[in-house]
Amino acid sequence: MTLDFYTNPMSRGQIARWALEETGAPYNEHIISYGPEMKGEAYLAINPMGKVPALKHNGAVVTEAAAICAYLASAFPQSGLAPSAEESADYHRWMFFAAGPMESAISFHSAGFKPTKEQTATFGFGSYEMILDVVKEKLSRDSYACGERFAMADVYLGSQIGFGTQFGTLPKEDVFTAYIERLANRDAFKKAKARDAALIAEMQASKSD
Ligand SMILES: N[C@@H](CCC(=O)N[C@@H](CS)C(=O)NCC(=O)O)C(=O)O
Protein backbone atom coordinates (compact mmCIF):
# COMPACT_ATOMS: atom_id res chain seq x y z
CA MET A 1 0.00 0.00 0.00
CA THR A 2 1.41 3.40 -0.91
CA LEU A 3 -0.25 6.63 0.07
CA ASP A 4 1.36 9.84 -1.16
CA PHE A 5 0.01 13.18 0.01
CA TYR A 6 0.87 16.37 -1.87
CA THR A 7 0.24 19.51 0.09
CA ASN A 8 1.32 22.88 1.29
CA PRO A 9 0.68 23.60 4.98
CA MET A 10 -0.92 26.95 4.07
CA SER A 11 -3.68 25.48 1.95
CA ARG A 12 -6.76 23.33 1.78
CA GLY A 13 -4.25 20.53 2.19
CA GLN A 14 -5.04 20.96 5.90
CA ILE A 15 -8.44 19.41 5.21
CA ALA A 16 -6.94 16.38 3.49
CA ARG A 17 -4.31 15.96 6.22
CA TRP A 18 -7.01 15.90 8.88
CA ALA A 19 -8.88 13.28 6.81
CA LEU A 20 -5.70 11.21 6.49
CA GLU A 21 -5.05 11.39 10.22
CA GLU A 22 -8.64 10.27 10.87
CA THR A 23 -7.95 7.06 8.89
CA GLY A 24 -4.80 6.33 10.88
CA ALA A 25 -3.10 5.09 7.68
CA PRO A 26 0.61 5.93 7.28
CA TYR A 27 1.37 8.29 4.39
CA ASN A 28 4.29 9.95 2.63
CA GLU A 29 4.13 13.72 2.76
CA HIS A 30 5.29 15.84 -0.19
CA ILE A 31 5.40 19.58 0.45
CA ILE A 32 4.81 21.47 -2.79
CA SER A 33 5.73 25.13 -2.82
CA TYR A 34 3.51 27.73 -4.42
CA GLY A 35 4.71 29.03 -7.77
CA PRO A 36 7.06 27.20 -10.13
CA GLU A 37 7.01 23.86 -8.28
CA MET A 38 3.20 23.72 -8.12
CA LYS A 39 2.88 24.82 -11.74
CA GLY A 40 5.81 22.69 -12.97
CA GLU A 41 5.63 19.65 -15.22
CA ALA A 42 6.23 17.08 -12.45
CA TYR A 43 3.37 18.28 -10.23
CA LEU A 44 1.03 19.07 -13.15
CA ALA A 45 1.31 15.38 -14.08
CA ILE A 46 -0.34 14.66 -10.71
CA ASN A 47 -2.82 17.54 -10.63
CA PRO A 48 -3.23 19.36 -13.95
CA MET A 49 -4.87 22.21 -11.99
CA GLY A 50 -1.50 22.87 -10.36
CA LYS A 51 -3.21 23.05 -6.98
CA VAL A 52 -2.94 21.26 -3.67
CA PRO A 53 -4.02 18.99 -2.12
CA ALA A 54 -3.65 15.79 -4.12
CA LEU A 55 -3.42 12.18 -3.05
CA LYS A 56 -1.96 9.14 -4.81
CA HIS A 57 -3.14 5.79 -3.47
CA ASN A 58 -1.58 2.70 -5.00
CA GLY A 59 -0.94 4.76 -8.15
CA ALA A 60 -4.46 6.26 -8.46
CA VAL A 61 -4.70 10.04 -8.09
CA VAL A 62 -7.49 11.84 -6.22
CA THR A 63 -7.70 15.63 -6.26
CA GLU A 64 -10.24 17.99 -4.64
CA ALA A 65 -10.26 18.15 -0.86
CA ALA A 66 -13.85 16.90 -0.58
CA ALA A 67 -13.21 13.98 -2.93
CA ILE A 68 -10.07 13.08 -0.95
CA CYS A 69 -12.14 13.00 2.27
CA ALA A 70 -14.85 10.82 0.73
CA TYR A 71 -12.29 8.58 -0.98
CA LEU A 72 -10.35 7.98 2.23
CA ALA A 73 -13.50 7.13 4.17
CA SER A 74 -14.33 4.38 1.66
CA ALA A 75 -10.76 3.21 1.07
CA PHE A 76 -10.24 2.74 4.82
CA PRO A 77 -13.60 1.41 6.03
CA GLN A 78 -12.03 0.26 9.31
CA SER A 79 -11.85 3.95 10.30
CA GLY A 80 -15.66 3.88 10.60
CA LEU A 81 -15.97 7.28 8.92
CA ALA A 82 -17.95 6.22 5.86
CA PRO A 83 -21.72 6.48 6.36
CA SER A 84 -24.03 3.65 7.35
CA ALA A 85 -27.03 3.07 5.08
CA GLU A 86 -29.11 5.31 7.34
CA GLU A 87 -26.49 8.07 7.33
CA SER A 88 -25.78 7.98 3.61
CA ALA A 89 -28.32 10.62 2.56
CA ASP A 90 -27.11 13.19 5.09
CA TYR A 91 -23.47 12.33 4.44
CA HIS A 92 -23.68 12.93 0.70
CA ARG A 93 -26.00 15.88 1.03
CA TRP A 94 -23.78 17.85 3.41
CA MET A 95 -20.49 16.88 1.83
CA PHE A 96 -21.66 18.07 -1.60
CA PHE A 97 -23.41 21.11 -0.12
CA ALA A 98 -20.19 22.22 1.57
CA ALA A 99 -17.97 21.58 -1.46
CA GLY A 100 -20.29 23.08 -4.06
CA PRO A 101 -22.81 25.79 -3.17
CA MET A 102 -21.35 26.67 0.20
CA GLU A 103 -17.81 27.14 -1.03
CA SER A 104 -19.01 29.15 -4.07
CA ALA A 105 -21.26 31.37 -1.94
CA ILE A 106 -18.43 32.12 0.49
CA SER A 107 -15.96 32.87 -2.34
CA PHE A 108 -18.33 35.18 -4.21
CA HIS A 109 -19.41 36.91 -1.02
CA SER A 110 -15.85 37.54 0.14
CA ALA A 111 -15.05 38.93 -3.32
CA GLY A 112 -17.90 41.43 -2.82
CA PHE A 113 -20.27 39.90 -5.38
CA LYS A 114 -23.97 40.00 -4.50
CA PRO A 115 -26.27 38.13 -6.92
CA THR A 116 -29.45 39.83 -8.14
CA LYS A 117 -32.81 38.25 -7.30
CA GLU A 118 -32.86 36.64 -10.77
CA GLN A 119 -29.34 35.32 -10.36
CA THR A 120 -30.20 33.62 -7.05
CA ALA A 121 -32.57 31.41 -9.06
CA THR A 122 -29.97 30.33 -11.60
CA PHE A 123 -26.79 30.26 -9.51
CA GLY A 124 -26.49 26.89 -7.78
CA PHE A 125 -25.59 28.51 -4.47
CA GLY A 126 -28.59 30.84 -4.47
CA SER A 127 -27.17 33.46 -2.17
CA TYR A 128 -24.76 33.71 0.74
CA GLU A 129 -27.68 34.47 3.09
CA MET A 130 -29.59 31.36 1.97
CA ILE A 131 -26.54 29.16 2.49
CA LEU A 132 -25.96 30.64 5.91
CA ASP A 133 -29.56 30.08 7.03
CA VAL A 134 -29.58 26.49 5.80
CA VAL A 135 -26.32 25.45 7.43
CA LYS A 136 -27.18 27.23 10.70
CA GLU A 137 -30.54 25.49 10.86
CA LYS A 138 -28.87 22.11 10.18
CA LEU A 139 -26.29 22.55 12.94
CA SER A 140 -28.80 23.81 15.47
CA ARG A 141 -30.71 20.55 14.92
CA ASP A 142 -27.82 18.06 14.70
CA SER A 143 -24.39 17.85 16.34
CA TYR A 144 -22.78 16.48 13.17
CA ALA A 145 -23.46 16.21 9.43
CA CYS A 146 -25.00 12.74 9.85
CA GLY A 147 -26.77 13.38 13.14
CA GLU A 148 -25.12 12.56 16.44
CA ARG A 149 -22.05 10.70 15.16
CA PHE A 150 -18.87 12.18 13.66
CA ALA A 151 -18.28 11.03 10.05
CA MET A 152 -15.89 12.05 7.28
CA ALA A 153 -18.45 14.60 6.01
CA ASP A 154 -17.64 16.60 9.15
CA VAL A 155 -13.99 16.89 8.17
CA TYR A 156 -15.04 18.77 5.06
CA LEU A 157 -18.08 20.68 6.37
CA GLY A 158 -16.22 21.47 9.59
CA SER A 159 -13.19 22.73 7.67
CA GLN A 160 -15.33 25.07 5.59
CA ILE A 161 -16.92 26.43 8.74
CA GLY A 162 -13.62 26.51 10.63
CA PHE A 163 -11.74 28.40 7.90
CA GLY A 164 -14.76 30.65 7.31
CA THR A 165 -15.06 31.74 10.93
CA GLN A 166 -11.27 32.01 11.28
CA PHE A 167 -10.82 34.22 8.22
CA GLY A 168 -14.02 36.21 8.73
CA THR A 169 -15.82 34.94 5.64
CA LEU A 170 -18.48 33.37 7.89
CA PRO A 171 -19.91 35.00 11.02
CA LYS A 172 -18.79 33.67 14.41
CA GLU A 173 -22.28 32.42 15.31
CA ASP A 174 -22.59 30.27 18.47
CA VAL A 175 -23.85 27.34 16.44
CA PHE A 176 -20.65 27.38 14.36
CA THR A 177 -18.35 27.88 17.34
CA ALA A 178 -19.94 24.95 19.19
CA TYR A 179 -19.56 22.67 16.13
CA ILE A 180 -15.90 23.65 15.69
CA GLU A 181 -15.23 23.01 19.38
CA ARG A 182 -16.64 19.48 19.06
CA LEU A 183 -14.40 18.79 16.07
CA ALA A 184 -11.27 20.39 17.51
CA ASN A 185 -11.36 17.92 20.41
CA ARG A 186 -10.52 15.04 18.11
CA ASP A 187 -7.02 13.57 18.31
CA ALA A 188 -6.70 13.40 14.51
CA PHE A 189 -7.64 17.08 14.21
CA LYS A 190 -5.03 18.06 16.82
CA LYS A 191 -2.33 15.91 15.19
CA ALA A 192 -3.03 17.25 11.71
CA LYS A 193 -3.15 20.89 12.80
CA ALA A 194 0.04 20.51 14.85
CA ARG A 195 1.93 19.12 11.84
CA ASP A 196 0.76 21.94 9.56
CA ALA A 197 1.54 24.55 12.20
CA ALA A 198 5.07 23.12 12.62
CA LEU A 199 5.62 23.21 8.84
CA ILE A 200 4.36 26.81 8.66
CA ALA A 201 6.71 27.81 11.49
CA GLU A 202 9.64 26.12 9.66
CA MET A 203 8.76 27.91 6.43
CA GLN A 204 8.54 31.27 8.18
CA ALA A 205 11.83 30.71 10.01
CA SER A 206 13.63 29.83 6.79
CA LYS A 207 12.22 32.97 5.10
CA SER A 208 13.53 35.21 7.87
CA ASP A 209 17.04 33.63 7.77
N1 LIG B 1 -11.21 22.83 -5.31
C1 LIG B 1 -9.89 22.56 -4.84
C2 LIG B 1 -9.19 23.87 -4.56
C3 LIG B 1 -7.72 23.70 -4.35
C4 LIG B 1 -7.03 25.05 -4.23
O1 LIG B 1 -7.52 26.07 -4.75
N2 LIG B 1 -5.87 25.06 -3.61
C5 LIG B 1 -5.11 26.30 -3.48
C6 LIG B 1 -4.60 26.40 -2.06
S1 LIG B 1 -5.89 26.43 -0.86
C7 LIG B 1 -3.92 26.23 -4.41
O2 LIG B 1 -3.31 25.21 -4.55
N3 LIG B 1 -3.59 27.37 -5.02
C8 LIG B 1 -2.39 27.51 -5.81
C9 LIG B 1 -2.63 28.00 -7.19
O3 LIG B 1 -3.72 27.89 -7.72
O4 LIG B 1 -1.66 28.46 -7.77
C10 LIG B 1 -9.94 21.66 -3.60
O5 LIG B 1 -10.92 21.71 -2.88
O6 LIG B 1 -8.99 20.89 -3.37
Side-chain angles (χ1 to χ4, degrees):
M1 195 278 287
T2 59
L3 198 49
D4 288 284
F5 172 45
Y6 303 84
T7 190
N8 184 289
M10 280 187 278
S11 79
R12 288 169 175 88
Q14 288 191 19
I15 307 172
R17 187 190 293 280
W18 177 16
L20 276 162
E21 293 296 342
E22 287 287 352
T23 68
Y27 59 90
N28 308 313
E29 168 190 273
H30 306 270
I31 303 302
I32 310 295
S33 30
Y34 285 110
E37 187 183 11
M38 212 177 281
K39 302 299 177 191
E41 208 180 318
Y43 186 66
L44 288 177
I46 295 162
N47 184 359
M49 289 288 282
K51 284 178 175 287
V52 285
L55 188 74
K56 203 191 263 184
H57 184 210
N58 296 333
V61 172
V62 190
T63 62
E64 296 302 317
I68 291 172
C69 291
Y71 175 83
L72 287 170
S74 11
F76 297 93
Q78 63 278 19
S79 66
L81 297 170
S84 66
E86 295 73 36
E87 293 166 335
S88 184
D90 271 340
Y91 180 91
H92 289 95
R93 176 181 179 186
W94 294 105
M95 180 80 94
F96 280 79
F97 179 87
M102 187 171 174
E103 173 156 314
S104 304
I106 294 172
S107 300
F108 278 97
H109 180 76
S110 59
F113 179 83
K114 192 171 168 49
T116 62
K117 193 161 179 294
E118 291 68 39
Q119 285 170 330
T120 65
T122 54
F123 289 2
F125 64 83
S127 71
Y128 177 78
E129 292 73 19
M130 278 165 70
I131 292 286
L132 218 51
D133 286 349
V134 167
V135 77
K136 271 163 51 183
E137 194 278 329
K138 160 70 182 169
L139 292 174
S140 51
R141 218 172 354 105
D142 293 323
S143 302
Y144 296 102
C146 298
E148 294 312 303
R149 180 183 85 93
F150 176 87
M152 193 61 100
D154 295 295
V155 171
Y156 194 78
L157 178 65
S159 295
Q160 285 286 5
I161 294 176
F163 288 135
T165 50
Q166 182 185 347
F167 296 120
T169 55
L170 286 176
K172 279 200 170 73
E173 305 266 355
D174 290 350
V175 70
F176 292 155
T177 311
Y179 180 49
I180 298 307
E181 275 173 15
R182 284 193 285 281
L183 302 179
N185 266 326
R186 299 186 63 78
D187 289 345
F189 178 94
K190 290 181 196 158
K191 193 171 171 200
K193 296 297 167 185
R195 177 66 187 145
D196 281 316
L199 286 165
I200 292 171
E202 265 173 40
M203 281 163 61
Q204 283 166 349
S206 70
K207 256 193 217 154
S208 62
D209 283 346

mmCIF file of all heavy atoms in Angstrom, residues 21-47:
data_model
loop_
_atom_site.group_PDB
_atom_site.id
_atom_site.type_symbol
_atom_site.label_atom_id
_atom_site.label_comp_id
_atom_site.label_asym_id
_atom_site.label_seq_id
_atom_site.Cartn_x
_atom_site.Cartn_y
_atom_site.Cartn_z
ATOM 1 N N GLU A 21 -5.306 11.731 8.820
ATOM 2 C CA GLU A 21 -5.054 11.387 10.225
ATOM 3 C C GLU A 21 -6.251 10.656 10.823
ATOM 4 O O GLU A 21 -6.080 9.783 11.674
ATOM 5 C CB GLU A 21 -4.721 12.649 11.048
ATOM 6 C CG GLU A 21 -3.396 13.297 10.680
ATOM 7 C CD GLU A 21 -2.176 12.406 10.954
ATOM 8 O OE1 GLU A 21 -2.293 11.434 11.718
ATOM 9 O OE2 GLU A 21 -1.108 12.688 10.365
ATOM 10 N N GLU A 22 -7.445 10.975 10.368
ATOM 11 C CA GLU A 22 -8.636 10.266 10.865
ATOM 12 C C GLU A 22 -8.589 8.785 10.482
ATOM 13 O O GLU A 22 -9.090 7.942 11.208
ATOM 14 C CB GLU A 22 -9.926 10.904 10.315
ATOM 15 C CG GLU A 22 -10.271 12.252 10.931
ATOM 16 C CD GLU A 22 -10.785 12.189 12.372
ATOM 17 O OE1 GLU A 22 -11.019 11.080 12.878
ATOM 18 O OE2 GLU A 22 -10.930 13.258 13.001
ATOM 19 N N THR A 23 -7.995 8.472 9.311
ATOM 20 C CA THR A 23 -7.950 7.058 8.893
ATOM 21 C C THR A 23 -6.906 6.283 9.688
ATOM 22 O O THR A 23 -6.983 5.067 9.790
ATOM 23 C CB THR A 23 -7.595 6.905 7.399
ATOM 24 O OG1 THR A 23 -6.235 7.313 7.200
ATOM 25 C CG2 THR A 23 -8.522 7.703 6.500
ATOM 26 N N GLY A 24 -5.892 7.007 10.162
ATOM 27 C CA GLY A 24 -4.800 6.333 10.879
ATOM 28 C C GLY A 24 -3.809 5.660 9.939
ATOM 29 O O GLY A 24 -2.836 5.059 10.389
ATOM 30 N N ALA A 25 -4.004 5.748 8.643
ATOM 31 C CA ALA A 25 -3.097 5.086 7.682
ATOM 32 C C ALA A 25 -1.798 5.889 7.556
ATOM 33 O O ALA A 25 -1.841 7.118 7.537
ATOM 34 C CB ALA A 25 -3.776 4.980 6.317
ATOM 35 N N PRO A 26 -0.651 5.198 7.457
ATOM 36 C CA PRO A 26 0.607 5.934 7.279
ATOM 37 C C PRO A 26 0.692 6.500 5.862
ATOM 38 O O PRO A 26 0.201 5.879 4.915
ATOM 39 C CB PRO A 26 1.682 4.857 7.502
ATOM 40 C CG PRO A 26 0.992 3.560 7.278
ATOM 41 C CD PRO A 26 -0.475 3.747 7.522
ATOM 42 N N TYR A 27 1.279 7.667 5.725
ATOM 43 C CA TYR A 27 1.369 8.288 4.389
ATOM 44 C C TYR A 27 2.685 9.018 4.218
ATOM 45 O O TYR A 27 3.324 9.423 5.196
ATOM 46 C CB TYR A 27 0.183 9.240 4.156
ATOM 47 C CG TYR A 27 0.058 10.380 5.152
ATOM 48 C CD1 TYR A 27 0.677 11.616 4.939
ATOM 49 C CD2 TYR A 27 -0.695 10.230 6.317
ATOM 50 C CE1 TYR A 27 0.551 12.657 5.862
ATOM 51 C CE2 TYR A 27 -0.822 11.269 7.243
ATOM 52 C CZ TYR A 27 -0.200 12.477 7.009
ATOM 53 O OH TYR A 27 -0.310 13.502 7.916
ATOM 54 N N ASN A 28 3.090 9.169 2.954
ATOM 55 C CA ASN A 28 4.291 9.945 2.629
ATOM 56 C C ASN A 28 3.848 11.359 2.305
ATOM 57 O O ASN A 28 2.956 11.551 1.476
ATOM 58 C CB ASN A 28 5.004 9.377 1.387
ATOM 59 C CG ASN A 28 5.260 7.888 1.527
ATOM 60 O OD1 ASN A 28 5.743 7.450 2.560
ATOM 61 N ND2 ASN A 28 4.881 7.115 0.512
ATOM 62 N N GLU A 29 4.507 12.314 2.933
ATOM 63 C CA GLU A 29 4.133 13.720 2.759
ATOM 64 C C GLU A 29 5.070 14.372 1.729
ATOM 65 O O GLU A 29 6.279 14.197 1.808
ATOM 66 C CB GLU A 29 4.293 14.366 4.130
ATOM 67 C CG GLU A 29 4.232 15.846 4.189
ATOM 68 C CD GLU A 29 4.653 16.334 5.585
ATOM 69 O OE1 GLU A 29 3.798 16.422 6.468
ATOM 70 O OE2 GLU A 29 5.843 16.623 5.772
ATOM 71 N N HIS A 30 4.491 15.093 0.787
ATOM 72 C CA HIS A 30 5.290 15.840 -0.193
ATOM 73 C C HIS A 30 4.847 17.297 -0.110
ATOM 74 O O HIS A 30 3.688 17.603 -0.420
ATOM 75 C CB HIS A 30 5.045 15.334 -1.618
ATOM 76 C CG HIS A 30 5.264 13.857 -1.768
ATOM 77 N ND1 HIS A 30 6.484 13.313 -2.099
ATOM 78 C CD2 HIS A 30 4.414 12.803 -1.611
ATOM 79 C CE1 HIS A 30 6.380 11.993 -2.140
ATOM 80 N NE2 HIS A 30 5.125 11.655 -1.849
ATOM 81 N N ILE A 31 5.757 18.158 0.336
ATOM 82 C CA ILE A 31 5.404 19.579 0.448
ATOM 83 C C ILE A 31 5.708 20.245 -0.888
ATOM 84 O O ILE A 31 6.843 20.210 -1.374
ATOM 85 C CB ILE A 31 6.194 20.259 1.590
ATOM 86 C CG1 ILE A 31 5.948 19.523 2.920
ATOM 87 C CG2 ILE A 31 5.811 21.741 1.699
ATOM 88 C CD1 ILE A 31 4.498 19.436 3.362
ATOM 89 N N ILE A 32 4.680 20.832 -1.470
ATOM 90 C CA ILE A 32 4.810 21.471 -2.785
ATOM 91 C C ILE A 32 4.753 22.980 -2.568
ATOM 92 O O ILE A 32 3.778 23.482 -1.995
ATOM 93 C CB ILE A 32 3.652 21.039 -3.731
ATOM 94 C CG1 ILE A 32 3.493 19.505 -3.751
ATOM 95 C CG2 ILE A 32 3.845 21.590 -5.139
ATOM 96 C CD1 ILE A 32 4.650 18.740 -4.336
ATOM 97 N N SER A 33 5.775 23.680 -3.034
ATOM 98 C CA SER A 33 5.726 25.131 -2.821
ATOM 99 C C SER A 33 4.900 25.812 -3.899
ATOM 100 O O SER A 33 4.795 25.337 -5.039
ATOM 101 C CB SER A 33 7.123 25.751 -2.700
ATOM 102 O OG SER A 33 8.025 25.033 -3.445
ATOM 103 N N TYR A 34 4.297 26.939 -3.475
ATOM 104 C CA TYR A 34 3.515 27.734 -4.421
ATOM 105 C C TYR A 34 4.449 28.275 -5.496
ATOM 106 O O TYR A 34 5.631 28.518 -5.229
ATOM 107 C CB TYR A 34 2.842 28.908 -3.689
ATOM 108 C CG TYR A 34 1.653 28.474 -2.854
ATOM 109 C CD1 TYR A 34 1.707 28.498 -1.460
ATOM 110 C CD2 TYR A 34 0.483 28.027 -3.470
ATOM 111 C CE1 TYR A 34 0.620 28.093 -0.699
ATOM 112 C CE2 TYR A 34 -0.604 27.619 -2.711
ATOM 113 C CZ TYR A 34 -0.534 27.646 -1.336
ATOM 114 O OH TYR A 34 -1.607 27.229 -0.584
ATOM 115 N N GLY A 35 3.902 28.450 -6.692
ATOM 116 C CA GLY A 35 4.710 29.030 -7.769
ATOM 117 C C GLY A 35 5.245 27.949 -8.691
ATOM 118 O O GLY A 35 4.528 26.997 -9.010
ATOM 119 N N PRO A 36 6.514 28.076 -9.093
ATOM 120 C CA PRO A 36 7.056 27.200 -10.132
ATOM 121 C C PRO A 36 6.913 25.704 -9.825
ATOM 122 O O PRO A 36 6.608 24.923 -10.730
ATOM 123 C CB PRO A 36 8.538 27.598 -10.204
ATOM 124 C CG PRO A 36 8.605 28.982 -9.643
ATOM 125 C CD PRO A 36 7.458 29.114 -8.667
ATOM 126 N N GLU A 37 7.109 25.298 -8.558
ATOM 127 C CA GLU A 37 7.007 23.856 -8.281
ATOM 128 C C GLU A 37 5.571 23.360 -8.492
ATOM 129 O O GLU A 37 5.326 22.335 -9.124
ATOM 130 C CB GLU A 37 7.476 23.537 -6.854
ATOM 131 C CG GLU A 37 7.534 22.029 -6.635
ATOM 132 C CD GLU A 37 7.924 21.600 -5.232
ATOM 133 O OE1 GLU A 37 7.967 22.450 -4.309
ATOM 134 O OE2 GLU A 37 8.171 20.391 -5.059
ATOM 135 N N MET A 38 4.598 24.143 -7.991
ATOM 136 C CA MET A 38 3.195 23.724 -8.116
ATOM 137 C C MET A 38 2.701 23.774 -9.566
ATOM 138 O O MET A 38 1.785 23.057 -9.947
ATOM 139 C CB MET A 38 2.314 24.585 -7.205
ATOM 140 C CG MET A 38 1.115 23.843 -6.676
ATOM 141 S SD MET A 38 0.140 24.838 -5.533
ATOM 142 C CE MET A 38 1.067 24.734 -4.023
ATOM 143 N N LYS A 39 3.314 24.671 -10.351
ATOM 144 C CA LYS A 39 2.877 24.815 -11.744
ATOM 145 C C LYS A 39 3.864 24.126 -12.700
ATOM 146 O O LYS A 39 3.794 24.309 -13.916
ATOM 147 C CB LYS A 39 2.761 26.314 -12.113
ATOM 148 C CG LYS A 39 1.785 27.099 -11.222
ATOM 149 C CD LYS A 39 0.345 26.605 -11.281
ATOM 150 C CE LYS A 39 -0.547 27.376 -10.315
ATOM 151 N NZ LYS A 39 -1.885 26.789 -10.144
ATOM 152 N N GLY A 40 4.801 23.358 -12.130
ATOM 153 C CA GLY A 40 5.805 22.690 -12.973
ATOM 154 C C GLY A 40 5.305 21.350 -13.493
ATOM 155 O O GLY A 40 4.359 20.771 -12.967
ATOM 156 N N GLU A 41 6.030 20.872 -14.505
ATOM 157 C CA GLU A 41 5.627 19.649 -15.221
ATOM 158 C C GLU A 41 5.390 18.454 -14.279
ATOM 159 O O GLU A 41 4.399 17.736 -14.421
ATOM 160 C CB GLU A 41 6.739 19.307 -16.210
ATOM 161 C CG GLU A 41 6.255 18.554 -17.430
ATOM 162 C CD GLU A 41 7.440 18.268 -18.366
ATOM 163 O OE1 GLU A 41 8.284 19.167 -18.554
ATOM 164 O OE2 GLU A 41 7.498 17.141 -18.855
ATOM 165 N N ALA A 42 6.316 18.276 -13.314
ATOM 166 C CA ALA A 42 6.228 17.085 -12.452
ATOM 167 C C ALA A 42 4.928 17.097 -11.644
ATOM 168 O O ALA A 42 4.216 16.092 -11.578
ATOM 169 C CB ALA A 42 7.430 17.031 -11.514
ATOM 170 N N TYR A 43 4.587 18.252 -11.055
ATOM 171 C CA TYR A 43 3.371 18.280 -10.233
ATOM 172 C C TYR A 43 2.107 18.340 -11.107
ATOM 173 O O TYR A 43 1.081 17.737 -10.753
ATOM 174 C CB TYR A 43 3.392 19.415 -9.199
ATOM 175 C CG TYR A 43 2.191 19.317 -8.272
ATOM 176 C CD1 TYR A 43 2.061 18.239 -7.392
ATOM 177 C CD2 TYR A 43 1.160 20.249 -8.322
ATOM 178 C CE1 TYR A 43 0.935 18.105 -6.591
ATOM 179 C CE2 TYR A 43 0.029 20.122 -7.516
ATOM 180 C CZ TYR A 43 -0.080 19.043 -6.650
ATOM 181 O OH TYR A 43 -1.204 18.902 -5.863
ATOM 182 N N LEU A 44 2.211 19.019 -12.261
ATOM 183 C CA LEU A 44 1.027 19.072 -13.153
ATOM 184 C C LEU A 44 0.636 17.673 -13.643
ATOM 185 O O LEU A 44 -0.530 17.420 -13.953
ATOM 186 C CB LEU A 44 1.287 19.994 -14.349
ATOM 187 C CG LEU A 44 1.314 21.499 -14.045
ATOM 188 C CD1 LEU A 44 1.662 22.295 -15.298
ATOM 189 C CD2 LEU A 44 -0.014 21.991 -13.472
ATOM 190 N N ALA A 45 1.620 16.760 -13.670
ATOM 191 C CA ALA A 45 1.311 15.379 -14.076
ATOM 192 C C ALA A 45 0.444 14.709 -13.009
ATOM 193 O O ALA A 45 -0.302 13.766 -13.294
ATOM 194 C CB ALA A 45 2.601 14.605 -14.286
ATOM 195 N N ILE A 46 0.503 15.212 -11.790
ATOM 196 C CA ILE A 46 -0.338 14.661 -10.706
ATOM 197 C C ILE A 46 -1.662 15.411 -10.666
ATOM 198 O O ILE A 46 -2.728 14.808 -10.682
ATOM 199 C CB ILE A 46 0.404 14.761 -9.351
ATOM 200 C CG1 ILE A 46 1.637 13.870 -9.406
ATOM 201 C CG2 ILE A 46 -0.496 14.371 -8.187
ATOM 202 C CD1 ILE A 46 2.671 14.184 -8.363
ATOM 203 N N ASN A 47 -1.591 16.736 -10.596
ATOM 204 C CA ASN A 47 -2.823 17.537 -10.630
ATOM 205 C C ASN A 47 -2.693 18.612 -11.707
ATOM 206 O O ASN A 47 -2.012 19.619 -11.510
ATOM 207 C CB ASN A 47 -3.109 18.181 -9.268
ATOM 208 C CG ASN A 47 -4.445 18.924 -9.277
ATOM 209 O OD1 ASN A 47 -5.134 18.971 -10.313
ATOM 210 N ND2 ASN A 47 -4.818 19.503 -8.153
#
